């Protein structure tokens, strides 16, 4: 696992949908990536 | 003509008193029927002992292919059913829902074979890792119940009502006994005759009762499942049957309910949503002559729009041509029979104690191509309840026909509260282009509903409608709606399976699930797994790859190639407040480099890699670390060879199966730094 203990402050998860399209607009790959994003409020 | 029951592989006419079945539009006698003299206990045993064992031995892909073949067989014969369906009072559009909707359910369940794995049982969810040392773990499997699914169905959908349930129990590996409502059982009988004649289902997979259920429930046992669709009163009585309670038989009830449709506060007469709402309500009241358990019985509109809605609905209903469904131009047929019409009139009389009649005549209707008295015809009836808190009949009484009650509300909060007075419904809809209003309504009322629909201009063209349950969505509802749940794609199949927790070592759990579990023994194969065909691969077969030393050049080169120059990879001065202690390798690089390690390049049985599941980057990898891959066969899913057409893509003629490989990337300490499951298609040895 990512070493959360080293992270100062709360970091909620944000899932991004990655929709890769070609020149016709058709989806050629699709994935959901999992990220941790710093909050404005660091309390 | 006398209808026949299908018992233990034989068509049997019931003895004793016959029930006469008549054409809903003309009143002509169609057939007589009885289930007298039948041994229901023997019938259930036949299903358990003959149909069950054969179905349980089949894998999900085999059951799915069986259902697909059956659906295609029935679809080829659909016109026969349409001709009979007219006799139930159903128009062509009504029958489409029943016949093609029912067969569509079989197709939809057949497609589930791609989601349920390759075994006769289902492995449920992810493993549960229960010990620190990794030598003990848990999981869940779901196996077919060893009993029979007994379906007691309603009169309004003689085909859909059977197939939406049977497709699911067959997919799960259980046989069925079907008991349709007697009044329209001639249509169910015709469909079952076609199913039996097809020879596609194994012996004992289906039996039919056309007549009274008699002492059927006295013979159910703990491995059986009973489903009921119909009136709440009958459902509650059956649910309390002593044998159901004594044997803890699962009882799934789907009862008629007082479903609501709401006009959003923003949907004023000049909006598309207002028009869509009027169209939807009109359809709900007239389709199948209002005989749908999902029918919108309560119409809730903002108090300042009641008059507008009343006028628009009156106009719409006035354009509905009622009559013999076989006659040209008829859009609304008859109720299923005179008994049903009398019941609607009785309940309507009760409803009118708290509401005024604003459209239609309960006792008179102009019809096309028929006699309005000989046939069970009825005008659409719109009631207005000006004070739905004081006059609560509309929240408690259902007239199971073309009858709905209009009522005002002040704000969404009140609309939510009014829907809840129905004490649990199958569905509710709201027409609004304001997603905040939709949120408030759905979040507020979902606890009391099995399905909710938001109607607006964006989805209008493809909207399947308020009253239409879909095979892939759950159907059922709390409280008055029966408290049951059915369909819902894979969710429905699980209702006929027993979920069992299994515990043991990862190696044992691998053997039990036929899915590789982390920590289980691996079989290092002398030959690379990319050189083996689908049939030759076994769960646990593993390749241990060469190693790769990760360098700063790797990070720079991957950043240049991919364009991903995220600061954590490129700027060692920007790492304050992050988890990283130095420039970290891209997770995508680790997986890509892993592929470079586990792929055996020359052309061989592996045809393609079409995706990745459950990829995680579990530990940062810094320059100087060494990575290596344990590449293990995790799961195999068989596939049938595709039937080639002119439009088939290149390579479609190759017989192949899906192989899922676990990619476990470890560093020099042996700790996992990245893990993923890749999905591949692997050529079969057998190309027939």
């Amino acid at each position: 696992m990512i070493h959360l203990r080293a992270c100062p402050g709360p970091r909620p998860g944000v899932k991004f949908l990655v929709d890769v399209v070609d020149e016709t607009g058709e989806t050629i790959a699709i994935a959901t990536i999992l990220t941790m994003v710093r909050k404005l409020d660091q309390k | 003509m006398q209808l026949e029951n299908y018992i233990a592989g034989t068509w049997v006419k019931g003895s004793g008193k016959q029930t006469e079945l008549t054409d809903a539009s003309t009143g002509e006698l169609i057939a007589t029927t009885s289930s007298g003299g039948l041994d229901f206990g023997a019938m259930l045993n036949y299903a358990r002992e003959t149909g069950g064992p054969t179905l349980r031995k089949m894998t999900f892909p085999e059951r799915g292919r069986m259902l697909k073949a059956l659906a295609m067989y029935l679809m080829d014969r659909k016109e026969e059913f349409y001709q009979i369906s007219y006799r139930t009072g159903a128009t062509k559009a009504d029958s489409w829902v029943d016949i093609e909707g029912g067969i569509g359910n079989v197709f939809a369940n057949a497609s589930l074979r791609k989601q349920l794995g390759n075994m006769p049982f289902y492995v449920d969810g992810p493993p549960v890792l229960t010990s620190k040392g990794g030598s003990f773990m848990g999981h869940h499997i779901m196996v077919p119940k060893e009993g029979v699914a007994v379906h007691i169905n309603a009169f309004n959908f003689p085909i859909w009502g059977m197939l939406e349930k049977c497709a699911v129990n067959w997919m799960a590996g259980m046989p069925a006994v079907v008991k349709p409502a007697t009044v329209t059982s001639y249509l169910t009988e015709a469909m079952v005759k076609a199913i039996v004649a097809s020879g596609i289902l194994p012996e004992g997979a289906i039996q039919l009762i056309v007549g009274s259920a008699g002492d059927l429930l006295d013979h159910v046992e703990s491995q059986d499942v009973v489903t009921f669709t119909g009136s709440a009163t009958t459902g509650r009585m059956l649910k309390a049957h002593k044998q159901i309670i004594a044997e803890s038989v699962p009882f799934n009830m789907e009862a008629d309910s007082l479903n609501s449709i709401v006009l959003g506060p923003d949907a004023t007469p000049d909006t598309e949503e207002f028009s869509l709402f009027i169209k939807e309500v009109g359809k709900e009241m007239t389709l199948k002559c209002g005989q749908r358990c999902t029918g919108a019985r309560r119409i809730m509109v903002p108090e300042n729009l009641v008059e507008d809605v009343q006028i628009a609905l009156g106009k719409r209903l006035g354009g509905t041509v009622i009559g013999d469904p076989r006659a040209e131009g008829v859009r609304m047929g008859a109720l299923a029979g005179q008994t049903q019409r009398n019941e609607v009139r009785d309940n309507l009389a009760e409803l009118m104690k708290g509401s005024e009649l604003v459209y239609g005549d309960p006792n008179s209707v102009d019809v096309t191509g028929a006699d309005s008295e000989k046939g069970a015809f009825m005008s659409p009836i719109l009631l207005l309840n000006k004070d739905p808190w004081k006059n609560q009949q509309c929240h408690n009484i259902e007239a199971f026909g073309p009858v709905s009650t209009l009522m005002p509300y002040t704000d969404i909060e009140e609309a939510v509260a009014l829907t809840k007075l129905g004490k649990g419904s199958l569905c509710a809809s709201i027409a609004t282009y304001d997603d905040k209003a939709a949120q408030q309504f759905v979040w507020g009322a979902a606890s009391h509903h099995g399905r909710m629909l938001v109607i607006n201009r964006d989805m209008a063209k493809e909207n399947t409608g308020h009253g239409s349950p879909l095979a892939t969505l759950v159907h059922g509802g709390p409280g008055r709606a029966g408290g049951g749940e059915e369909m819902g794609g894979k969710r429905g199949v699980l209702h006929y399976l027993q979920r069992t927790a299994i515990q043991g070592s990862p190696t044992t759990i691998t053997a039990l699930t036929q899915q590789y579990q982390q920590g289980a023994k691996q079989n290092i194969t002398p030959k690379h797994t990319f050189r083996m065909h689908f049939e030759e691969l076994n769960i646990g077969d593993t390749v241990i790859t060469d190693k790769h030393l990760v360098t700063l050049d790797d990070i720079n080169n991957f950043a240049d190639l991919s364009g991903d120059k995220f600061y954590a990879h490129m700027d060692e001065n920007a790492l304050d407040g992050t988890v990283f202690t130095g420039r970290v390798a891209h997770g995508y690089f680790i997986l890509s480099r892993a592929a470079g390690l586990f792929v055996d390049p020359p052309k061989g049985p592996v045809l393609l890699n079409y995706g990745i599941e459950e990829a995680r980057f579990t530990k940062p990898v810094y320059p100087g670390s060494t990575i290596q891959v344990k590449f293990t066969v995790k799961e195999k899913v068989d596939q049938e060879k595709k039937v080639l057409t002119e439009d088939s893509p290149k390579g479609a003629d190759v017989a192949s199966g899906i192989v899922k490989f676990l990619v476990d990337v470890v560093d020099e300490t042996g700790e996992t730094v990245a893990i993923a499951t890749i999905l591949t298609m692997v050529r079969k040895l057998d190309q027939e």
Side-chain angles (χ1 to χ4, degrees):
Chain A
M1 296 298 290
I2 297 289
H3 301 290
L4 284 172
R5 275 174 297 187
C7 305
R11 289 161 191 267
V14 178
K15 296 184 182 182
F16 288 91
L17 181 69
V18 182
D19 186 4
V20 188
V21 296
D22 66 10
E23 67 282 1
T24 68
E26 200 172 347
T27 297
I28 53 170
I30 194 158
T32 299
I33 65 163
L34 317 177
T35 68
M36 285 193 177
V37 178
R38 181 187 286 267
K39 280 186 173 178
L40 275 175
D41 182 359
Q42 287 292 306
K43 287 177 188 165
Chain B
M1 184 181 90
Q2 184 178 347
L3 300 188
E4 294 180 306
N5 302 274
Y6 187 63
I7 296 189
T10 309
W11 288 98
V12 180
K13 288 178 179 163
S15 59
K17 191 182 175 205
Q18 301 288 311
T19 302
E20 293 189 342
L21 309 179
T22 55
D23 184 302
S25 303
T26 65
E28 291 168 12
L29 182 68
I30 300 171
T32 63
T33 191
S34 164
S35 59
L38 304 183
D39 183 344
F40 292 128
M43 190 176 194
L44 297 185
N45 276 334
Y46 185 75
R48 294 182 195 117
E49 292 166 10
T50 305
T54 313
L55 286 166
R56 288 199 298 278
K57 275 184 199 155
M58 298 170 77
T59 63
F60 282 112
E62 286 169 342
R63 290 178 206 142
R65 289 195 286 273
M66 173 185 80
L67 290 190
K68 186 179 174 187
L70 180 65
M72 291 170 76
Y73 179 90
L74 297 175
M75 197 60 98
D76 284 346
R77 286 152 184 80
K78 65 181 180 183
E79 284 309 322
E80 297 169 25
F81 308 122
Y82 273 103
Q83 292 310 312
I84 301 170
S85 182
Y86 284 131
R87 313 204 82 172
T88 69
T91 63
K92 181 94 178 177
D94 298 339
S95 299
W96 182 88
V97 176
D98 191 30
I99 297 166
E100 298 193 49
I103 299 171
N105 254 276
V106 183
F107 273 120
N109 277 278
S111 297
L112 297 177
R113 67 192 185 279
K114 292 163 188 165
Q115 298 177 31
L116 291 163
N118 208 32
M119 304 296 291
F121 59 85
Y122 174 65
V123 179
D124 183 34
V128 180
L129 301 170
T130 48
S131 78
K132 278 187 182 175
S135 66
F136 177 70
M137 65 172 294
H139 214 316
H140 294 88
I141 57 171
M142 299 189 72
V143 299
K145 290 177 184 288
E146 296 192 3
V148 52
V150 177
H151 302 308
I152 302 170
N153 291 338
F155 65 81
N156 52 345
F157 290 106
I159 288 179
W160 181 87
M162 169 176 64
L163 292 182
E164 60 103 356
K165 294 176 178 178
C166 286
V168 185
N169 66 247
W170 290 328
M171 193 62 191
M174 281 187 85
V177 166
V178 179
K179 192 280 181 239
T182 306
V183 64
T184 52
S185 57
Y186 51 88
L187 180 51
T188 314
E189 187 222 32
M191 176 61 90
V192 174
K193 285 205 162 172
I195 292 171
V196 172
S198 77
I200 292 169
L201 296 184
E203 182 58 47
I206 186 166
Q207 295 178 86
L208 175 71
I209 301 168
V210 281
S212 164
D215 66 352
L216 177 67
L217 293 187
D218 289 345
H219 303 283
V220 295
E221 296 176 356
S222 59
Q223 286 285 307
D224 299 337
V225 174
V226 176
T227 74
F228 170 80
T229 300
S231 77
T233 312
T234 309
R236 281 194 291 269
M237 184 185 72
L238 296 178
K239 196 174 184 176
H241 190 282
K242 63 181 189 318
Q243 189 70 359
I244 298 276
I245 294 166
E247 292 273 324
S248 299
V249 179
F251 186 93
N252 193 70
M253 177 168 154
E254 192 259 283
D256 311 329
S257 59
L258 294 153
N259 312 291
S260 311
I261 186 164
V262 178
L263 182 68
D266 59 308
T268 48
D270 56 331
T271 63
E272 285 183 53
E273 283 67 34
F274 185 89
S275 304
L276 292 168
F277 175 82
I278 297 299
K279 185 178 167 189
E280 195 71 27
V281 174
K283 195 173 76 177
E284 280 300 309
M285 292 182 67
T286 56
L287 190 70
K288 200 74 187 178
C289 208
Q291 300 168 110
R292 294 203 295 173
C293 50
T294 51
R297 308 295 176 202
R298 297 179 295 157
I299 307 164
M300 296 164 191
V301 303
E303 55 190 348
N304 60 326
L305 296 177
V306 169
E307 193 177 345
D308 291 302
V309 169
Q310 191 180 317
I311 292 167
L313 268 180
K315 204 171 162 186
R316 172 136 193 132
L317 294 171
T320 304
V321 179
I322 302 163
D324 188 321
R326 289 157 285 220
E328 187 71 27
V330 167
R331 291 288 174 270
M332 180 169 135
L335 292 158
Q338 298 289 353
T339 306
Q340 284 68 33
R341 185 167 67 174
N342 291 337
E343 281 177 10
V344 172
R345 284 174 175 162
D346 289 348
N347 285 320
L348 181 55
E350 291 300 310
L351 284 170
M352 288 176 67
K353 288 177 183 172
S355 299
E356 60 184 280
L357 181 70
V358 293
Y359 182 88
D361 182 340
N363 300 308
S364 170
V365 59
D366 291 332
V367 299
T368 298
D371 182 320
S372 66
E373 279 311 303
K374 282 184 181 168
F377 297 101
M378 190 163 186
S379 157
I381 302 289
L382 184 64
L383 305 176
L384 173 62
N385 181 352
K386 289 179 180 166
D387 189 348
W389 290 99
K390 182 181 168 198
N391 305 312
Q392 297 219 354
Q393 294 89 344
C394 64
H395 308 301
N396 292 300
I397 298 165
E398 182 185 33
F400 198 67
V403 181
S404 296
T405 305
L406 184 62
M407 65 196 79
Y409 73 83
T410 51
D411 54 23
I412 291 283
E413 197 178 340
E414 188 184 19
V416 167
L418 286 171
T419 66
K420 289 180 179 175
L421 290 181
K423 299 188 182 75
S425 301
L426 292 170
C427 57
S429 296
I430 183 169
T432 178
Y433 201 51
D434 175 358
D435 282 342
K436 291 282 181 198
Q439 277 181 347
Q440 196 184 352
F441 181 68
V442 172
W443 292 351
S447 60
H448 286 58
H449 295 86
R451 180 169 57 83
M452 300 190 81
L453 169 71
V454 181
I455 301 165
N456 67 29
R457 66 197 75 172
D458 293 342
M459 50 72 86
K461 277 187 185 168
E462 295 183 294
N463 177 21
T464 52
H466 165 95
S468 299
L470 299 180
T472 46
L473 292 176
V474 295
H475 178 47
R480 188 192 302 272
E485 181 184 294
E486 57 191 30
M487 303 205 296
K490 193 168 81 176
R491 295 173 186 84
V493 176
L494 304 188
H495 291 145
Y496 296 92
L497 304 174
Q498 169 63 41
R499 181 182 284 112
T500 305
I502 51 172
Q503 298 167 286
S505 74
T507 301
T508 302
I509 300 300
T510 294
L512 296 178
T513 58
Q514 286 298 289
Q515 293 179 5
Y516 180 77
Q517 308 297 331
Q518 269 186 278
K521 285 178 191 161
Q522 294 166 325
N523 171 42
I524 312 293
T525 51
K527 195 156 70 166
H528 194 290
T529 46
F530 269 38
R531 307 255 66 81
M532 294 155 79
H533 288 80
F534 182 77
E535 297 94 328
E536 298 171 304
L537 290 165
N538 294 301
I539 306 300
D541 284 354
T542 299
V543 168
I544 306 289
T545 70
D546 291 339
K547 296 176 181 175
H548 174 81
L549 176 66
V550 177
T551 66
L552 206 53
D553 280 349
D554 284 338
I555 297 174
N556 290 329
N557 290 339
F558 190 80
D560 284 341
L561 181 65
S562 66
D564 176 357
K565 297 186 179 177
F566 187 61
Y567 68 90
H569 309 307
M570 307 307 289
D571 185 355
E572 63 188 338
N573 297 316
L575 304 177
D576 282 353
T578 74
V579 300
F580 303 113
T581 57
R583 288 175 62 185
V584 65
H586 302 69
Y588 302 125
F589 169 72
I590 299 300
L591 273 189
S592 303
R593 192 64 190 88
L597 293 170
F598 68 68
V599 164
D600 188 46
K603 186 173 181 182
V606 177
L607 300 168
L608 55 91
N609 165 209
Y610 70 92
I612 303 175
E613 287 178 345
E614 299 158 4
R616 293 289 185 276
F617 309 129
T618 53
K619 181 182 176 186
V621 177
Y622 300 105
S625 284
T626 301
I627 59 169
Q628 185 179 30
V629 183
K630 297 177 195 173
F631 186 64
T632 304
V633 177
K634 181 179 177 183
E635 189 181 349
K636 292 169 64 181
V637 182
D638 197 9
Q639 294 193 121
E640 62 261 47
K641 193 172 177 180
K642 291 186 174 60
V643 177
L644 290 181
T645 65
E646 284 180 3
D647 302 325
S648 292
K650 183 172 174 286
D653 57 334
V654 178
S656 63
I658 293 168
V659 179
K660 299 184 182 183
F661 287 95
L662 182 69
V663 180
D664 185 6
V665 188
V666 296
D667 65 11
E668 64 282 0
T669 69
E671 199 173 348
T672 296
V673 296
I675 195 157
T677 300
I678 66 161
L679 315 174
T680 68
M681 290 178 73
V682 178
R683 178 189 287 267
K684 288 182 177 176
L685 278 173
D686 180 3
Q687 285 295 310
E688 292 306 312

